[in-house]
């Protein structure tokens, strides 16, 4: 029979082994432990460097916007920059401005210098035709804010490529001793989940994507005569896009939406509703945050989550990358998938998950979780959600979400999802 002293010795021996004491380690185990420490330090350094680059990008972009706005204000009493639903561009001399309001369907061309009506109309028509002929990529590369932001970053030795800023993260196996590497390739250190393997970003060819379709421009120029207003030294010419513009723009991006909806098991009507609410199908949409493209991806937040999910490491998705419709719809759809099928996967009712995901897409995980459970715990939020009907969750969020913007956003997306569900039935 084992006495108490023997039991004590066994327990003490186990404690020493579990404590990681080196005397009980084989040489290979000691080498592996040393590798882990090195790898952890290098990964921490990588994260710190990457966070620095993310912050540098945001600052560089916002500084570039401020510089350009100050420059415009010297010529225009009402200076304006591109936004989520309005694209604005100026001539190099800053004496002419073209804006497209994708939400109201109005195109306005303004000239500061004195022009005859014929000359002003000729310039306005040339601007509309240009919108259908010049690609989004070409438009971006001529954008003074984009150019200045890259210059600001270059001064810090940070360069944004088409895919974004990223530094190579070596896999664990590349640091390991040969014998351990074979075993580690099967471990969680080197593992890539099935979900990520199947979702890996594939190279996307650059479509000849213009700001407006040629058909839409032809219909606009062939429709009602534009309104011409002259005031002081400004000539203002306004066109109204056809009433079918919104549905035409939606159809334009439907192939990408259907592809991603099928890939992530999402409702294409929901994705269309989110795009309309975020950007009104403005392919050059941007916000001050900054966020970019049709689904308004914020590189420093949703972009990090999506790239980590799709590529296995967080990357700074560049404006050039996000202004490609294929990439943007992929990133936005993947983020909706993450919200619904990962972060709130424990919410059993699918309609409840949809409402929660819509709100989280706008305001973030923490605010939604706190609305549901009083804490930012996703686990507690999911438990609370499972105790309510989907309708109760919807009404609770309409009343309790901290920002009125998010409450309105939720209502709009839900309403527009129903609208697109009916529209898609007719196709």
């Amino acid at each position: 029979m084992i006495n108490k002293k023997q039991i004590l010795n066994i327990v003490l021996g186990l404690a020493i082994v579990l404590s990681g004491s080196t005397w009980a380690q084989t040489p290979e185990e000691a080498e592996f432990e040393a590798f882990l420490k090195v790898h952890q330090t290098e990964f921490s350094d990588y994260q710190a460097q990457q966070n620095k680059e993310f912050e540098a990008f945001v600052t560089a972009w916002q500084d570039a916007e401020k510089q350009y706005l100050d420059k415009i204000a010297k010529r225009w009493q009402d200076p304006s920059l591109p936004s989520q639903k309005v694209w604005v561009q100026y001539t190099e001399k800053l004496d002419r401005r073209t804006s497209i309001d994708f939400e109201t369907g109005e195109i306005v061309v303004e000239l500061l210098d004195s022009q005859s009506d014929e000359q002003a109309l000729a310039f306005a028509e040339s601007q509309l035709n240009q919108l259908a002929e010049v690609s989004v990529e070409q438009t971006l590369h001529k954008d003074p804010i984009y150019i200045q932001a890259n210059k600001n970053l270059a001064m810090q030795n940070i360069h944004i490529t088409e895919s974004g800023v990223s530094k190579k993260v070596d896999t664990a196996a590349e640091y390991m001793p040969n014998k351990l590497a074979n075993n580690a390739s099967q471990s969680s250190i080197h593992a890539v989940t099935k979900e990520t393997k199947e979702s890996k970003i594939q190279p996307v060819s650059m479509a000849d994507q213009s700001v407006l379709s040629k058909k839409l421009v032809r219909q606009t120029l062939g429709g009602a005569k534009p309104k011409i207003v002259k005031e002081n030294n400004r000539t203002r010419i306004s066109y109204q896009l056809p009433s079918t513009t919104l549905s035409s723009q939606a159809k334009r991006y439907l192939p990408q939406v259907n592809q991603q909806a099928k890939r992530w098991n999402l409702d294409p009507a929901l994705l269309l509703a989110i795009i309309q609410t975020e950007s009104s199908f403005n392919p050059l949409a941007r916000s001050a945050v900054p966020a970019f493209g049709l689904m308004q991806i914020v590189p420093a937040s949703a972009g990090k989550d999506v790239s980590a999910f799709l590529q296995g490491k967080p990357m700074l998705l560049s404006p050039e990358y996000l202004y490609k419709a294929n990439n943007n719809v992929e990133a936005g759809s993947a983020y909706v998938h993450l919200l619904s099928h990962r972060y709130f996967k424990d919410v059993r009712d699918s309609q409840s998950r949809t409402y929660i995901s819509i709100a989280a897409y706008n305001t973030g995980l923490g605010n939604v979780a706190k609305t549901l459970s009083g804490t930012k715990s996703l686990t507690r939020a999911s438990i609370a959600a499972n105790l309510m009907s989907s309708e109760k969750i919807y009404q609770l969020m309409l009343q309790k979400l901290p920002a009125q913007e998010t409450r309105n956003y939720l209502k709009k997306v839900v309403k527009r999802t129903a609208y697109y569900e009916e529209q898609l039935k007719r196709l």
Side-chain angles (χ1 to χ4, degrees), residues 104-256:
T104 65
E106 185 180 36
I107 299 178
V108 177
V109 180
E110 297 168 279
L111 303 88
L112 289 183
D113 52 338
S114 178
Q115 295 280 332
S116 68
D117 286 357
E118 290 76 16
Q119 289 173 313
L121 278 170
F123 175 75
E125 288 181 11
S126 73
Q127 290 299 290
L128 262 69
N129 284 318
Q130 188 181 66
L131 292 169
E133 294 168 0
V134 178
S135 71
V136 167
E137 183 181 40
Q138 291 170 317
T139 304
L140 177 64
H141 286 169
K142 293 179 180 178
D143 181 357
I145 296 172
Y146 174 78
I147 293 169
Q148 186 60 50
N150 279 319
K151 287 181 179 178
N152 293 346
L153 287 169
M155 291 173 65
Q156 302 176 61
N157 201 29
I158 298 173
H159 301 278
I160 299 182
T161 63
E162 180 179 319
S163 58
V165 172
S166 66
K167 291 192 180 294
K168 185 175 183 292
V169 181
D170 296 308
T171 62
E174 289 178 301
Y175 287 106
M176 288 185 187
N178 291 335
K179 191 171 180 181
L180 287 175
N182 293 330
N183 294 331
S185 65
Q186 303 300 321
S187 74
S188 59
I189 295 174
H190 191 55
V192 179
T193 63
K194 180 173 183 253
E195 183 179 42
T196 305
K197 283 180 179 178
E198 293 175 349
S199 312
K200 198 83 170 177
I201 289 179
Q202 299 299 322
V204 180
S205 60
M206 180 62 187
D208 186 17
Q209 176 195 353
S210 57
V211 181
L212 292 175
S213 69
K214 291 181 179 179
K215 180 181 178 181
L216 204 55
V217 169
R218 283 198 305 269
Q219 289 175 333
T220 302
L221 292 175
K225 289 184 178 181
K227 294 180 181 178
I228 304 176
V229 177
K230 288 191 173 184
E231 186 176 349
N232 298 326
N233 71 329
R234 186 186 302 197
T235 302
R236 185 180 191 274
I237 304 167
S238 59
Y239 296 85
Q240 192 63 41
L241 290 167
S243 59
T244 57
T245 296
L246 196 61
S247 60
S248 296
Q249 288 290 89
K251 287 178 183 177
R252 194 178 184 200
Y253 302 110
L254 189 57
Q256 292 99 321

Side-chain angles (χ1 to χ4, degrees), residues 268-281:
L270 171 62
L271 299 180
L272 289 170
I274 290 174
I275 294 173
Q276 183 184 342
T277 309
E278 290 287 347
S279 67
S280 286
F281 299 96

Side-chain angles (χ1 to χ4, degrees), residues 130-427:
Q130 188 181 66
L131 292 169
E133 294 168 0
V134 178
S135 71
V136 167
E137 183 181 40
Q138 291 170 317
T139 304
L140 177 64
H141 286 169
K142 293 179 180 178
D143 181 357
I145 296 172
Y146 174 78
I147 293 169
Q148 186 60 50
N150 279 319
K151 287 181 179 178
N152 293 346
L153 287 169
M155 291 173 65
Q156 302 176 61
N157 201 29
I158 298 173
H159 301 278
I160 299 182
T161 63
E162 180 179 319
S163 58
V165 172
S166 66
K167 291 192 180 294
K168 185 175 183 292
V169 181
D170 296 308
T171 62
E174 289 178 301
Y175 287 106
M176 288 185 187
N178 291 335
K179 191 171 180 181
L180 287 175
N182 293 330
N183 294 331
S185 65
Q186 303 300 321
S187 74
S188 59
I189 295 174
H190 191 55
V192 179
T193 63
K194 180 173 183 253
E195 183 179 42
T196 305
K197 283 180 179 178
E198 293 175 349
S199 312
K200 198 83 170 177
I201 289 179
Q202 299 299 322
V204 180
S205 60
M206 180 62 187
D208 186 17
Q209 176 195 353
S210 57
V211 181
L212 292 175
S213 69
K214 291 181 179 179
K215 180 181 178 181
L216 204 55
V217 169
R218 283 198 305 269
Q219 289 175 333
T220 302
L221 292 175
K225 289 184 178 181
K227 294 180 181 178
I228 304 176
V229 177
K230 288 191 173 184
E231 186 176 349
N232 298 326
N233 71 329
R234 186 186 302 197
T235 302
R236 185 180 191 274
I237 304 167
S238 59
Y239 296 85
Q240 192 63 41
L241 290 167
S243 59
T244 57
T245 296
L246 196 61
S247 60
S248 296
Q249 288 290 89
K251 287 178 183 177
R252 194 178 184 200
Y253 302 110
L254 189 57
Q256 292 99 321
V257 167
N258 279 334
Q259 180 186 19
Q260 297 303 324
K262 183 178 180 180
R263 179 182 180 186
W264 303 116
N265 191 27
L266 299 170
D267 183 358
L270 171 62
L271 299 180
L272 289 170
I274 290 174
I275 294 173
Q276 183 184 342
T277 309
E278 290 287 347
S279 67
S280 286
F281 299 96
N282 172 13
L284 282 164
R286 67 177 61 160
S287 73
V289 174
F292 301 99
L294 293 167
M295 297 189 75
Q296 285 294 276
I297 306 300
V298 179
S301 56
K304 288 173 70 174
D305 284 2
V306 167
S307 59
F309 171 58
L310 295 175
Q311 294 194 354
K313 60 182 177 181
M315 294 177 63
L316 177 59
L317 301 180
S318 68
E320 187 172 12
Y321 180 89
L322 291 173
Y323 276 136
K324 293 180 181 180
N326 289 354
N327 296 342
N328 197 282
V329 174
E330 177 186 50
S333 302
Y335 191 56
V336 175
H337 167 81
L338 285 174
L339 292 170
S340 179
H341 295 83
R342 176 177 288 186
Y343 299 130
F344 290 107
K345 67 180 185 300
D346 292 330
V347 177
R348 291 190 292 268
D349 184 76
S350 60
Q351 187 60 58
S352 296
R353 281 201 314 276
T354 297
Y355 291 147
I356 291 169
S357 300
I358 292 169
Y361 194 95
N362 177 263
T363 193
L365 297 166
N367 286 332
V368 173
K370 196 168 183 179
T371 300
L372 293 172
S373 66
T375 74
K376 291 192 175 183
S377 165
L378 300 187
T379 299
R380 292 187 181 184
S382 297
I383 292 171
N386 287 331
L387 298 175
M388 293 183 271
S389 67
S390 60
E391 181 59 26
K392 187 172 181 180
I393 288 173
Y394 179 66
Q395 293 302 327
L396 175 68
M397 290 197 293
L398 290 183
Q399 295 169 20
K400 300 294 184 180
L401 281 166
Q404 185 62 46
E405 175 196 337
T406 308
R407 300 177 197 179
N408 294 338
Y409 182 90
L410 177 59
K411 282 192 287 188
K412 288 177 183 178
V413 173
V414 169
K415 182 179 179 181
R416 288 166 178 170
T417 299
Y419 166 78
Y420 284 114
E421 283 174 348
E422 289 302 315
Q423 295 298 308
L424 291 174
K425 288 176 184 177
R426 301 174 187 176
L427 295 180

